[in-house]
Amino acid sequence: MSVDVISSQGEPILQLKEIRKSFDRHGARLERSMVLKDVECFIHRAEVVGLIGGSGTGKSTLARLIMGLERQDCGSILFEGRDLEQVTARERQAMRRFMQMVFQDPYDSLAQGLTVEEIVAEPLIIHRIHRYDRKKRRELVEDALAEVALAPSSLFINRYPHELSGGQRQRVALARALILRPRLIIADEPTSMLDVSLRLELIDLMKRLRERHGIAYLYITHDLALAHRFCDRLLVLSEGRIVEQGLANEVIERPRHPYTRALMQAAMRFMPAIQSSNPVELTAK
Amino acid sequence: MNTPIARYLGFTGFAILVFMLLLAILGPFIVPYDPNELIAPAFQPPSWSYLLGTNDIGQDIFSELIMSARVSLLVGVVSALIATLFGVIAGLVAGYFGGWAETILMRLVDVKLTLPFLPLMIVVAVFLGPGLITQILVIALVIWAPMARELRSQVLTARRRGFVEAAEAIGAGGRYILRRHLLPNVTPLIIPQFVRAANTGILMETSLSFLGLGDPTVKSWGMMLFYANSRSAFLTDAWLWWLLPPGICITLSVLSFSLLGYALEERVRPRLRTSWRFGASERSANKVRPLKREPQEQDPESPEPLLSVQQLSVEYVTANGAIRAVDSVSFSVRRGEVLGIVGESGSGKTTMAAALMQLLKPPGRLTGGRMLFAGNDLASLDAAELKRLRNNRIALIPQAAMNALNPVYTVQKQLVEAILAHQKIRRSEARIRANHLLQLVGITPDRARAYPHELSGGMRQRVVIAIALANNPSLVIADEPTTGLDVIVQAEILELLTDLQSRLELAMIFISHDLSVVLSVADRIAIMLEGKIVDQSSVNSGVFHPNHPYSQRLQAALPRLKSKHTIPFS
């Protein structure tokens, strides 16, 4: 699916309008720090949007707001055109089914005492799907594990998280996010805790899932190279504001905002190997 | 896992408890007489027919003692159960839901904890009148509060954990999260808490009964003490067999619960363990094959490497035997050379750096190999020599270095201290040198009097680098010096490090999990996997030649910032 086709699709799956969020600083009410300042953005169906920025720019806060783990001070979050704050709790719960999240730390986001089967089946239990049909649930778990290339599933289904490597854990987390057939996955730095050799693997896996199921992603990262490889469109967040957005290639090749340029330069610093082996392909100006 | 001592204590406690419980359960079948029946003359001393003698009205004390075990243990355990139940519910609700529920519950706990428990217990017991149920409720009321507080704080930490947030993000409600995630998480804590509560419960039952606030229709150890005391046991020799046995029984039960509680507590709080096992100094064990020391300082032009590591091995001693973290590693660093060491988490890089600095902490242990620094075997140096060497000839830039500064001193003062630790110069001179060092790492002199919290993460990292360079080291070990920094700052710090390295002609060991970072600074690269160096290669303008399949995979995974293909836009 080419990029311009995606961006011309009708109604966005997710839309953020004038999102503001501040936190108390050291419990002092008067001194609040603004983390997000009037953030506006949208994601189309099956589109991969990268949210990039350094640490402390508010990327993770934005993800937590979308997932309902925090509440914005003002502004609205629309999922498939409906404001998450305007619907009843029951409706919101039903909408949650279609947006899932993958967290940064696969060592923390999977409960220690549960088996892979229990972890991956958790969304089914929470949303009361196949509530009394353990066999059906197990089938779905096996499917989800196969999707994330943890096969044969019999090898993994009864294991505990501590018996898995970091990359396998993150794939279990991805399987948990996939089992409800979501239309949107928020991935908050899913690769940053993984060892380098596993990062590309996970990104390519997420890419395949998008092609197969038309899942849209909000991919949060500070790694420009991975964002470039994975995303259709990029949003650059700096000090709580989106300072630049555009098609991934355009942003990478022609960064306009000084902050984006600084990010680019920082990323280039680590790519001497590429410079010499693929001199032609390095196109940043 | 428990330490041997805790296991021994726990087992003793368990054995005593089982014995007591058996006595209580089998009581009616083993007592020789009905404890309420008057079967003998008063104040009989112990004999074969009356094992513990008789009391003032001729009841058999041995039978009384055994039947009393039932009531004492029952009251203790049941009140502990009720208290645990309330404590757990209060702790979970207050910790998870917060808001007004937390405010009310925690103020209740505070009020409860400030009131002295004995007077409170007496007032409530008098008010409600004597009786077994009253007694249980009163005791439960007194002991639930500390539990609620402890569990609340545990829940507060647990609810911030990733898997709880993950369940919330999936759409789980509060009841589900409490039942499925938080309760299992605090259960290991509940069990020792319960054992401790039972312990307190038995003691309190005794106190209440001894004060005459027990149920007069049933007998417990406390009631026995109460009767013995009020019916003049002390006037005769009878106190020996009337007062001592219940006293001993109470002591034994309380002891059994305490020992068991300790063992269980240790199981859930591993920190209690460390002081036992690792208390002894293991420095002596670190000395492996001491070598005769040669006079140091070689000719800088000599081809001898500055640091030569041969067959270095480090093991961690665990409960399941030794784990080899560094396995026969050999490498060398020449003067002015940057050796990059790349490995994934757990490959032994940091352990190796600690071994080089002689900073291995137990349970880590050097088990073999030599580390020759300018001809000296590092492992054979004594404490004073090591101190002279550290930060003087060899300096470390540690992992998470931005937290390595002391928050209460200005950066200048910390630098001055570092200089004065190794150089005999005047303080004013050291201050000048400190400012010079700060300039060297790109901090202007007007920031010299700043405290660490007034500086950004990148600035603090610069200060740490300045401290490492304070005494003109010839070798710098940088262990993940840029991890955790913002990408842009990371690039600046690397720039600074490479610049300093070439200007000061430092030898550097640059350790990182990030191959691309290492390639951008290193002259030579060593790849570590599971404690071994699997590949070594020189780096030419950021390219190396991987031989081992693992390093080939690492190289293939290098990030590439190139356009995928050109997309026509019109």
Side-chain angles (χ1 to χ4, degrees):
Chain A
M1 208 180 297
S2 91
V3 174
D4 35 359
V5 174
I6 290 164
S7 46
S8 65
Q9 281 173 347
E11 184 196 51
I13 190 163
L14 182 80
Q15 196 168 9
L16 306 187
K17 287 183 175 167
E18 289 180 35
I19 297 289
R20 277 187 209 173
K21 175 73 186 170
S22 59
F23 286 107
D24 291 352
R25 201 181 279 170
H26 305 301
R29 286 264 156 189
L30 291 172
E31 201 188 341
R32 292 175 74 84
S33 51
M34 273 289 222
V35 177
L36 294 172
K37 302 159 189 165
D38 295 322
V39 170
E40 301 228 1
C41 63
F42 59 87
I43 301 173
H44 282 290
R45 280 176 199 287
E47 187 186 27
V48 181
V49 175
L51 182 62
I52 56 181
S55 42
T57 47
K59 294 176 307 213
S60 289
T61 306
L62 196 63
R64 295 173 60 84
L65 288 177
I66 297 169
M67 293 313 293
L69 295 173
E70 307 268 1
R71 278 191 65 182
Q72 65 268 34
D73 299 346
C74 62
S76 42
I77 299 172
L78 278 71
F79 182 73
E80 299 187 324
R82 292 157 80 200
D83 189 332
L84 284 172
E85 297 232 316
Q86 303 291 325
V87 298
T88 63
R90 188 180 289 268
E91 283 173 308
R92 190 159 51 236
Q93 165 91 354
M95 286 155 76
R96 284 256 170 274
R97 189 182 156 178
F98 299 109
M99 48 202 288
Q100 294 293 322
M101 180 153 174
V102 176
F103 289 81
Q104 180 174 12
D105 184 353
Y107 292 86
D108 198 39
S109 71
L110 308 179
Q112 301 290 323
L114 303 184
T115 61
V116 167
E117 178 177 11
E118 288 169 315
I119 290 167
V120 178
E122 190 164 32
L124 298 175
I125 292 163
I126 289 171
H127 286 273
R128 308 200 166 147
I129 297 163
H130 303 301
R131 207 175 166 186
Y132 304 107
D133 191 351
R134 182 137 190 243
K135 229 172 100 193
K136 182 73 189 161
R137 283 207 306 266
R138 183 166 200 144
E139 267 170 41
L140 289 175
V141 169
E142 281 169 351
D143 288 349
L145 288 177
E147 295 266 26
V148 297
L150 287 178
S153 54
S154 58
L155 250 178
F156 295 97
I157 213 155
N158 290 320
R159 285 163 90 176
Y160 289 92
H162 69 260
E163 299 171 318
L164 303 176
S165 71
Q168 288 172 333
R169 280 167 187 242
Q170 200 58 299
R171 277 186 278 163
V172 169
L174 192 57
R176 171 173 68 183
L178 283 174
I179 199 166
L180 292 174
R181 296 259 166 263
R183 298 178 197 137
L184 171 68
I185 288 180
I186 314 282
D188 185 4
E189 306 242 16
T191 48
S192 71
M193 303 280 289
L194 298 186
D195 291 318
V196 188
S197 59
L198 299 169
R199 292 184 184 173
L200 278 187
E201 252 173 57
L202 191 80
I203 289 297
D204 290 343
L205 174 64
M206 285 165 64
K207 236 173 159 176
R208 281 204 302 279
L209 291 169
R210 185 269 277 265
E211 276 150 24
R212 208 177 301 155
H213 303 293
I215 299 168
Y217 289 93
L218 179 64
Y219 174 60
I220 299 173
T221 187
H222 63 261
D223 190 329
L224 280 180
L226 285 180
H228 188 200
R229 187 184 177 101
F230 183 37
C231 300
D232 304 315
R233 208 148 51 79
L234 292 181
L235 310 171
V236 182
L237 198 63
S238 168
E239 290 173 5
R241 283 179 211 282
I242 292 182
V243 294
E244 176 158 1
Q245 53 179 310
L247 295 172
N249 280 317
E250 289 202 339
V251 173
I252 296 290
E253 284 166 29
R254 282 182 292 279
R256 277 168 294 143
H257 195 273
Y259 182 73
T260 320
R261 291 210 189 112
L263 275 178
M264 279 296 295
Q265 263 168 3
M268 304 301 276
R269 179 72 185 73
F270 308 126
M271 262 162 273
I274 310 311
Q275 212 151 22
S276 45
S277 57
N278 309 306
V280 195
E281 288 172 306
L282 203 98
T283 42
K285 283 162 195 162
Chain B
M1 291 313 288
N2 278 125
T3 54
I5 295 171
R7 216 176 299 153
Y8 177 71
L9 293 178
F11 180 75
T12 313
F14 183 69
I16 303 175
L17 187 63
V18 166
F19 176 71
M20 288 291 173
L21 286 174
L22 277 180
L23 268 192
I25 291 162
L26 301 176
F29 308 105
I30 54 176
V31 292
Y33 309 101
D34 179 347
N36 293 318
E37 216 175 316
L38 314 176
I39 40 104
F43 292 129
Q44 288 290 311
S47 63
W48 280 116
S49 40
Y50 312 110
L51 281 178
L52 289 173
T54 60
N55 64 11
D56 59 340
I57 51 173
Q59 291 165 328
D60 180 41
I61 293 181
F62 178 69
S63 310
E64 211 179 358
L65 188 73
I66 287 177
M67 293 307 279
S68 296
R70 314 193 101 196
V71 177
S72 286
L73 293 177
L74 185 78
V75 171
V77 170
V78 172
S79 53
L81 272 179
I82 296 176
T84 310
L85 191 69
F86 274 103
V88 169
I89 292 174
L92 285 177
V93 168
Y96 183 71
F97 291 105
W100 58 266
E102 180 181 27
T103 313
I104 293 176
L105 281 168
M106 285 303 115
R107 290 303 79 76
L108 266 179
V109 167
D110 288 344
V111 169
K112 164 67 220 18
L113 288 175
T114 49
L115 293 176
F117 79 87
L118 199 61
L120 174 75
M121 201 165 69
I122 294 169
V123 169
V124 179
V126 170
F127 181 71
L128 294 173
L132 213 54
I133 305 287
T134 321
Q135 224 179 6
I136 289 175
L137 289 180
V138 168
I139 295 170
L141 183 75
V142 172
I143 54 184
W144 71 278
M147 259 187 215
R149 200 164 67 158
E150 162 110 27
L151 287 176
R152 169 179 160 267
S153 70
Q154 289 300 324
V155 171
L156 281 181
T157 12
R159 65 172 296 196
R160 285 263 145 239
R161 294 285 305 278
F163 56 89
V164 173
E165 296 209 317
E168 272 173 6
I170 293 167
R175 283 216 325 265
Y176 175 86
I177 287 175
L178 277 178
R179 180 169 51 81
R180 181 84 169 169
H181 288 298
L182 294 179
L183 191 59
N185 217 273
V186 296
T187 307
L189 280 172
I190 295 175
I191 294 161
Q193 291 268 357
F194 165 74
V195 171
R196 272 211 313 233
N199 184 350
T200 322
I202 290 174
L203 270 181
M204 288 189 171
E205 187 277 334
T206 311
S207 317
L208 278 180
S209 300
F210 183 71
L211 293 169
L213 294 167
D215 187 340
T217 61
V218 292
K219 283 202 168 134
S220 69
W221 292 327
M223 286 306 266
M224 284 179 72
L225 292 177
F226 169 63
Y227 288 133
N229 184 48
S230 61
R231 300 210 303 246
S232 61
F234 284 110
L235 299 180
T236 65
D237 278 348
W239 69 272
L240 257 179
W241 58 85
W242 197 359
L243 270 165
L244 273 190
I248 291 169
C249 282
I250 292 165
T251 314
L252 277 180
S253 331
V254 170
L255 189 69
S256 71
F257 277 114
S258 300
L259 294 178
L260 203 57
Y262 174 77
L264 291 170
E265 184 102 25
E266 198 214 47
R267 193 175 273 253
V268 293
R269 284 179 218 272
R271 245 181 307 151
L272 288 176
R273 279 206 285 274
T274 46
S275 59
W276 284 107
R277 197 188 298 166
F278 308 134
S281 157
E282 296 214 10
R283 249 216 69 85
S284 54
N286 277 349
K287 297 199 171 181
V288 184
R289 281 190 259 151
L291 277 185
K292 193 176 59 142
R293 275 209 322 287
E294 298 132 37
Q296 56 163 294
E297 282 317 317
Q298 311 156 290
D299 178 6
E301 299 299 314
S302 84
E304 275 286 293
L306 179 65
L307 175 77
S308 157
V309 173
Q310 297 154 13
Q311 304 289 319
L312 179 72
S313 293
V314 179
E315 286 184 351
Y316 281 98
V317 185
T318 69
N320 304 322
I323 292 167
R324 194 159 262 214
V326 178
D327 194 354
S328 310
V329 163
S330 303
F331 62 86
S332 61
V333 187
R334 284 191 299 274
R335 281 168 206 279
E337 183 190 43
V338 182
L339 173 70
I341 295 182
V342 180
E344 309 199 322
S345 37
S347 60
K349 332 179 278 289
T350 298
T351 304
M352 195 192 65
L356 284 176
M357 289 299 284
Q358 297 291 302
L359 286 173
L360 275 182
K361 289 193 191 76
R365 211 155 56 94
L366 199 63
T367 51
R370 305 198 305 184
M371 296 171 281
L372 294 171
F373 176 75
N376 293 335
D377 190 344
L378 291 175
S380 70
L381 302 180
D382 62 33
E385 288 169 314
L386 259 181
K387 189 169 171 257
R388 232 173 300 139
L389 195 73
R390 270 191 211 143
N391 216 42
N392 192 0
R393 309 289 319 285
I394 306 183
L396 177 73
I397 302 174
Q399 215 164 355
M402 49 281 204
N403 304 324
L405 296 170
N406 188 332
V408 300
Y409 295 120
T410 63
V411 294
Q412 189 193 44
K413 187 166 167 64
Q414 299 190 44
L415 258 170
V416 167
E417 296 305 323
I419 295 168
L420 291 178
H422 291 284
Q423 296 174 35
K424 289 191 169 49
I425 54 173
R426 279 213 303 277
R427 190 164 278 270
S428 55
E429 282 175 59
R431 216 168 281 144
I432 294 167
R433 168 135 179 81
N435 287 353
H436 175 73
L437 280 165
L438 286 174
Q439 258 171 332
L440 192 69
V441 297
I443 296 178
T444 50
D446 59 304
R447 305 295 288 152
R449 291 184 176 276
Y451 288 90
H453 73 268
E454 296 170 322
L455 301 173
S456 67
M459 295 280 259
R460 270 179 277 175
Q461 188 69 356
R462 284 166 191 265
V463 174
V464 171
I465 292 171
I467 291 177
L469 299 178
N471 297 298
N472 305 314
S474 41
L475 173 68
V476 173
I477 301 174
D479 183 7
E480 303 265 9
T482 57
T483 306
L485 293 174
D486 180 84
V487 254
I488 294 176
V489 182
Q490 195 179 0
E492 290 167 3
I493 296 288
L494 281 178
E495 202 69 62
L496 172 72
L497 271 178
T498 35
D499 175 50
L500 289 173
Q501 186 270 330
S502 61
R503 259 205 288 167
L504 306 175
E505 294 179 347
L506 293 169
M508 187 151 83
I509 298 179
F510 191 101
I511 301 173
S512 175
H513 66 280
D514 199 334
L515 178 62
S516 52
V517 169
V518 173
L519 282 179
S520 70
V521 298
D523 300 318
R524 220 148 41 77
I525 187 168
I527 312 266
M528 266 188 102
L529 176 67
E530 291 163 4
K532 292 191 180 75
I533 289 184
V534 294
D535 208 346
Q536 290 204 46
S537 150
S538 60
V539 180
N540 285 320
S541 52
V543 183
F544 80 116
H545 302 285
N547 296 315
H548 192 271
Y550 173 72
S551 25
Q552 282 160 358
R553 246 189 314 134
L554 273 184
Q555 197 189 39
L558 274 175
R560 274 148 218 270
L561 201 55
K562 53 172 188 183
S563 77
K564 288 172 267 193
H565 42 80
T566 26
I567 300 162
F569 293 110
S570 48

